[in-house]
Amino acid sequence: MHHDFTSRIVWTGNRGDGTRTYRGYDRTWDIAIDGHDVVHCSNDPLLGGDPAKMNPEDLLLSALSACHMLWYLHLASKAGIVVHAYRDSPVGQGETLKSGAGRFLSAVLRPEIEVAAGADLKLATEIHERVHEFCFIARSVNFPVSYEPVFLQADA
């Protein structure tokens, strides 16, 4: 089964003269999809972008983490692991070549997951390895993704 995913990117960085000069425009845009909140974006702050706005690297790492989380919750539920809270602080390692070209080298997802008292932590950990079989984003990236979960057990 095939799915179409759509987005609309609108450049917002024209200061009046377009791209007439390299420093004469902003590297800002909006993700403006009908029915969704607008997301204001910029390029990486290392390249002069606005640090208050999301950049493509932020969005990719966040999408990877969110996809993993959603599949983890699904698989945990099916396996009888009750999750009460889930938060992640993923780290992506990138490199920039002298030419300016860049890429991700790897990503580490570091979820902190609160599970019900008495949950099978071995099974809860094993589920992370299975997520990569399903996660649309993880299956689409060309860099390794690893997991360093931490589990907290809720009081009984």
Side-chain angles (χ1 to χ4, degrees):
M1 175 187 316
H2 291 274
H3 303 278
D4 290 334
F5 297 93
T6 62
S7 183
R8 190 171 69 235
I9 305 301
V10 180
W11 176 49
T12 60
N14 185 348
R15 296 182 199 154
D17 286 327
T19 60
R20 184 175 313 279
T21 65
Y22 182 74
R23 301 218 184 273
Y25 62 95
D26 293 329
R27 279 68 171 173
T28 58
W29 70 93
D30 289 343
I31 300 172
I33 302 170
D34 291 339
H36 297 277
D37 293 337
V38 172
V39 178
H40 304 289
C41 302
S42 183
N43 68 332
D44 188 296
L46 294 173
L47 301 171
D50 183 343
K53 295 180 180 170
M54 299 284 275
N55 63 56
E57 296 79 12
D58 295 334
L59 295 167
L60 177 61
L61 187 61
S62 297
L64 178 64
S65 175
C67 185
H68 183 91
M69 176 192 68
L70 292 169
W71 272 105
Y72 183 85
L73 296 173
H74 172 79
L75 294 171
S77 177
K78 286 182 69 169
I81 303 290
V82 177
V83 176
H84 291 291
Y86 186 113
R87 69 184 130 272
D88 192 7
S89 300
V91 175
Q93 182 182 33
E95 74 172 349
T96 304
L97 303 176
K98 288 180 183 180
S99 68
R103 66 179 180 149
F104 275 97
L105 297 173
S106 64
V108 179
L109 305 183
R110 302 180 308 168
E112 184 177 291
I113 304 161
E114 182 181 326
V115 296
D120 181 342
L121 297 183
K122 183 177 184 294
L123 176 59
T125 301
E126 290 171 357
I127 291 171
H128 280 286
E129 297 302 322
R130 293 188 45 226
V131 168
H132 199 89
E133 299 171 27
F134 301 98
C135 174
F136 205 94
I137 307 301
R139 291 177 48 81
S140 300
V141 298
N142 68 350
F143 52 85
V145 179
S146 59
Y147 321 99
E148 296 175 358
V150 172
F151 293 96
L152 308 169
Q153 288 196 323
D155 295 331

